Amino acid sequence: MLLQAVRESGAHIGVVYLLSETEDLLVMDVEVGLPAQIVKPWTRVRLDAGAPVAAAARERRLVWVPDHEDLARRFPATALAAPYSFAIAAAPITTGSRLWGVFYLIWPESHACELTPYERQTLISACDKIAAILEQSVDRAPSHAGEPRVLAPPPRRALERHPEAVVCGYLDQLHVGCLALDLEGRITFVSAAAAELFDGDVTGLLGRPLWEVAPWLKDPLFEDRSRAAVVSQQTTSCVVRCPDGRMVEFRMYPDPSGMSLRVAPLDVDQVGPAHMSEPESDRAAQTRAEVFYSFLPLAVALTRALNVPEIIDLVADHVMPMFKVKAMAILIAEGSRMRVIGARGYGQDALERLDGLPITSGTPAGDAARTGEPAFFADVNELRRRYPQAEECDRMAAWACLPLEVNDEGVGICLLAFDEPHPFTVEERATFTALAGLVAHALDRALRYDSKDRLAHSLQKALLPRSLPEISGLAVAAWYVPATRGVGIGGDFYDLIRLTDTSAAAVIGDVQGHNMTAAALMGQVRTAIHANAVAGASPGDVLKHTNRLLIDVDTELFTSCLLIYVDLQLRTLRAASAGHPPPLLRPPNMPAEIIDVPAGLLLGVDPDADYPTLQVPFPPGALLALYTDGLVETPGVDLDHAIANLAGHLVYGSTGIEQLGRTLLDHAPHTSQHADDIALLLLEHRVRPAAHRLRGERPGEGRP
């Protein structure tokens, strides 16, 4: 059925993917027209991948990509991984609501810009028949563990009327080498001149892989040209240096069954700039290989970039030197205008003209942003022909205006400028368009991350206390430090609640998770503790009531909490803990010690949990430290040892309470790249009661 669809549609490649039953994965089951070495990277495609086959599966519709430029715009990652000219149609294989897989066909790029009704019907009919077969064979579904089945293409037409000996004699008289390969690169025909080049005889070379008889051809340049010929079904060529120093041109003529090669020696003076500048020359192929391998680290780096400046630097550092770009600017759409969010190489005057540019202004940048179509201007004259009123604001000589789109929605544009005229080749246009797609997705993630980060900081600021109450005789300082990476919000919290003029309740806790749900639950816990503490309940009873509240709201998150009542008149501390790290107490003129508060269960686990209360002295000059596990917890390090190490830094001296807090944070074992939030609350019983301004530091304020 696959061979019939390929034959009737005029395609030269056909592939069937089946949906894995255990993963969101499309697995290649059978194919025709692709060599094994090309197939390997595409045997497994995730449903969320940026590829036409994945899009056809996700959207349950036929996806048509007429050329490489359209592929680069819509599926940039695929375009970079397969930088060849072809047209592709991918259709889902479904019965009712069930997705079985995807069937796709590939034609040479010379195909018309639209599918014919017959081609479309052939593809859809094949999908329906394949789906029916799969539905009937559901009890013996194919295994996805092995390699895909490779079908043999239709055989070449047999020679008619010409005896083989006459044909071989004719080829030998041409003084050029001729050979033919099947799709797997095995030699099916070789002339005497070609056999001499490979230091073999005709009989001994037949049936052997070309890479085996000529290992010097197994290099990126020759492989790239070979793949381009097979996938695009277009004649290609390259110049290769033989082991003996001779320069040889390989011209490749593909068809669906394999490839014929013409091998001709070149004189040294033939391999010059004029020869190398031909469209299908060695220089063009090498440039594409260089671009491909250079873009691999850029693509990986862009997937990890979390902020706009990082993206600007990555693109500028990789793209500008490779293509000799003089200046670059990235603009995003805000309403009806565009705003410059990053640039390299442009002067302030040029940036001021670009910033605020109307999208509907009839300028190259505005039109690219509005239509989603890239625009290339090889020189000033070409720019003037298309935009007679355009102002020359950057003193450049050539430009590429690349729209940044995600799921057909505009994000902005990337403007590349050259200080010399720059004719853009077809491959360069496709490469720049693919680059714009990668940048657009990375930029969209970064902008969303920045938006969430701003929202998170606003919410965190609202949930943490704006200021801490002033208690005569008690000095207080507090810090909250969000995790190094990820959204800047979490469940760590602290508070100081005035009970009387000489007493207060100090609380610190950690709600499981680092998201909006954890932050919302943290707000509920703080409110419950505040209400019960002010009502006069003991520390243990406050935690007990709060625990029942969390059980009633039926949350899946648990909370650790430490609540300590500080009584300056009685000079005591009363503490209760719900699975929280123990507090540290530094008596006057003595080393700090760990207060072994009985640890009850985490809040939200058991409705009948009890929380015993421990009372210890808190004399004038003593200092109390409450913290969350982000300050002490490190993978592979014993927690008790880490807490003891922290206590060792809580030294007595003339250092102020705020400087002491920063010292504790600086000595955290993983402060530079901590994966958890940190909350720290210090309370010092002053020897001479005095009014001190007590403040809590929130995200972005007083951060060490």
Side-chain angles (χ1 to χ4, degrees):
M1 189 175 301
L2 172 60
L3 289 172
Q4 180 181 355
V6 170
R7 183 172 59 251
E8 292 182 355
S9 66
H12 64 283
I13 293 173
V15 180
V16 174
Y17 280 92
L18 296 183
L19 182 66
S20 171
E21 296 179 358
T22 58
E23 302 177 77
D24 292 336
L25 198 67
L26 291 168
V27 183
M28 187 181 295
D29 184 72
V30 59
E31 63 93 355
V32 60
L34 281 175
Q37 65 267 26
I38 297 181
V39 164
K40 287 182 180 179
W42 304 102
T43 54
R44 301 165 72 86
V45 178
R46 298 200 62 83
L47 281 180
D48 58 359
V53 289
R58 289 194 306 268
E59 302 168 14
R60 306 290 181 92
R61 66 176 181 86
L62 189 149
V63 174
W64 167 244
V65 182
D67 52 42
H68 193 262
E69 186 170 333
D70 189 60
L71 181 72
R73 183 177 63 85
R74 296 164 57 191
F75 305 100
T78 301
L80 286 175
Y84 311 119
S85 301
F86 57 85
I88 181 172
I93 303 171
T94 59
T95 51
S97 61
R98 176 162 185 179
L99 174 70
W100 294 96
V102 175
F103 178 34
Y104 78 78
L105 297 172
I106 291 181
W107 293 264
E109 196 177 40
S110 56
H111 188 284
C113 61
E114 296 291 343
L115 281 173
T116 66
Y118 180 77
E119 291 168 342
R120 181 182 294 268
Q121 184 56 43
T122 299
L123 182 59
I124 294 175
S125 176
C127 288
D128 292 341
K129 293 177 182 178
I130 294 172
I133 292 175
L134 291 170
E135 191 172 34
Q136 294 171 6
S137 310
V138 68
D139 294 333
R140 49 188 180 87
S143 170
H144 299 306
E147 296 293 327
R149 290 171 291 164
V150 179
L151 303 182
R156 298 190 184 199
R157 290 175 296 178
L159 289 171
E160 299 177 1
R161 303 179 183 177
H162 296 285
E164 182 178 342
V166 175
V167 174
C168 291
Y170 166 73
L171 294 176
D172 289 342
Q173 292 173 357
L174 295 179
H175 301 291
V176 295
C178 300
L179 68 155
L181 309 175
D182 64 13
L183 277 177
E184 298 305 321
R186 291 183 292 265
I187 299 175
T188 58
F189 174 84
V190 59
S191 68
E196 181 182 356
L197 178 68
F198 301 135
D199 295 328
D201 60 83
V202 172
T203 304
L205 294 175
L206 290 177
R208 296 176 61 188
L210 178 63
W211 326 113
E212 178 184 302
V213 301
W216 44 276
L217 288 179
K218 196 171 181 59
D219 64 72
L221 171 60
F222 190 84
E223 288 186 358
D224 176 78
R225 294 288 82 193
S226 300
R227 294 186 180 194
V230 171
V231 176
S232 68
Q233 290 293 286
Q234 294 180 352
T235 301
T236 64
S237 67
C238 66
V239 176
V240 179
R241 184 183 296 275
C242 300
D244 59 8
R246 288 183 295 168
M247 303 299 293
V248 178
E249 181 189 42
F250 285 82
R251 186 164 290 273
M252 307 167 191
Y253 303 88
D255 75 1
S257 66
M259 184 164 53
S260 297
L261 291 88
R262 174 183 177 274
V263 187
L266 294 177
D267 295 332
V268 176
D269 57 358
Q270 289 182 273
V271 191
H275 178 83
M276 304 298 280
S277 63
E278 293 176 3
E280 290 295 337
S281 70
D282 173 45
R283 186 199 64 81
Q286 193 167 11
T287 299
R288 182 164 67 185
E290 291 172 354
V291 169
F292 173 71
Y293 288 111
S294 180
F295 269 18
L296 283 179
L298 173 61
V300 173
L302 285 175
T303 63
R304 299 174 179 172
L306 288 180
N307 57 68
V308 173
E310 188 176 357
I311 293 172
I312 302 296
D313 290 341
L314 283 171
V315 176
D317 292 343
H318 281 76
V319 176
M320 293 181 69
M322 182 188 307
F323 294 100
K324 298 182 179 180
V325 176
K326 187 66 175 180
M328 180 197 77
I330 293 182
L331 301 84
I332 61 171
E334 290 187 346
S336 61
R337 293 183 176 272
M338 289 183 289
R339 178 171 62 88
V340 177
I341 59 172
R344 183 80 68 84
Y346 270 121
Q348 188 61 35
D349 292 344
L351 293 178
E352 289 177 356
R353 293 196 180 204
L354 291 172
D355 199 36
L357 192 70
I359 293 179
T360 58
S361 63
T363 63
D367 286 350
R370 188 181 70 257
T371 65
E373 295 294 331
F376 301 91
F377 306 95
D379 52 37
V380 175
N381 292 332
E382 186 175 352
L383 175 66
R384 295 293 187 202
R385 283 195 299 269
R386 295 174 58 181
Y387 294 91
Q389 305 301 322
E391 296 183 13
E392 191 176 341
C393 64
D394 56 8
R395 297 180 182 178
M396 295 294 170
W399 301 265
C401 297
L402 310 173
L404 305 177
E405 292 187 319
V406 176
N407 299 327
D408 294 329
E409 293 186 4
V411 176
I413 67 163
C414 176
L415 179 62
L416 304 178
F418 303 79
D419 58 354
E420 295 181 358
H422 186 96
F424 295 93
T425 66
V426 173
E427 287 186 346
E428 275 186 325
R429 292 170 184 254
T431 299
F432 282 137
T433 304
L435 166 69
L438 294 176
V439 174
H441 283 82
L443 192 61
D444 183 62
R445 285 193 303 270
L447 293 174
R448 291 177 186 272
Y449 176 85
D450 288 346
S451 177
K452 289 181 179 180
D453 196 51
R454 288 193 298 270
L455 176 62
H457 278 83
S458 298
L459 180 58
Q460 191 84 54
K461 185 176 181 179
L463 291 174
L464 291 173
R466 288 181 175 273
S467 62
L468 300 178
E470 296 183 359
I471 309 293
S472 180
L474 187 67
V476 183
W479 291 263
Y480 173 81
V481 184
T484 303
R485 295 183 74 85
V487 68
I489 192 168
D492 289 22
F493 65 95
Y494 61 84
D495 204 355
L496 184 69
I497 306 164
R498 175 191 290 275
L499 300 179
T500 68
D501 290 342
T502 59
S503 64
V507 58
I508 196 161
D510 184 1
V511 179
Q512 178 187 13
H514 301 86
N515 50 37
M516 299 295 183
T517 303
L521 184 60
M522 177 260 281
Q524 291 178 297
V525 172
R526 272 195 62 221
T527 301
I529 290 175
H530 195 287
N532 286 288
V534 172
S538 67
D541 287 341
V542 170
L543 294 183
K544 193 170 184 179
H545 296 324
T546 305
N547 176 58
R548 288 176 178 170
L549 170 68
L550 266 61
I551 296 292
D552 291 341
V553 299
D554 194 25
T555 176
E556 296 181 354
L557 302 179
F558 305 131
T559 303
S560 72
C561 185
L562 176 64
L563 177 62
I564 298 180
Y565 284 7
V566 179
D567 193 318
L568 300 181
Q569 185 174 2
L570 298 177
R571 300 180 177 181
T572 60
L573 302 174
R574 287 189 296 156
S577 174
H580 198 80
L584 305 177
L585 178 63
R586 188 196 67 190
N589 301 311
M590 294 181 62
E593 59 187 30
I594 300 171
I595 303 178
D596 190 15
V597 181
L601 291 175
L602 295 171
L603 302 178
V605 176
D606 181 1
D608 299 321
D610 286 321
Y611 301 94
T613 299
L614 174 71
Q615 180 170 309
V616 296
F618 188 49
L623 185 139
L624 180 69
L626 289 70
Y627 54 92
T628 55
D629 56 6
L631 187 62
V632 292
E633 199 168 55
T634 304
V637 177
D638 180 73
L639 184 59
D640 292 338
H641 176 77
I643 294 174
N645 183 57
L646 181 67
H649 294 296
L650 198 66
V651 295
Y652 184 82
S654 59
T655 304
I657 187 172
E658 293 189 4
Q659 182 59 45
L660 179 60
R662 289 183 170 84
T663 299
L664 295 180
L665 291 167
D666 289 340
H667 283 85
H670 52 298
T671 300
S672 61
Q673 284 291 326
H674 55 273
D676 200 0
D677 306 332
I678 296 175
L680 175 63
L681 180 62
L682 299 182
L683 302 94
E684 183 179 22
H685 188 173
R686 289 289 172 85
V687 177
R688 296 180 180 179
H692 293 274
R693 184 177 183 274
L694 313 175
R695 68 182 179 87
E697 296 194 16
R698 301 180 297 278
E701 298 180 10
R703 187 181 304 176

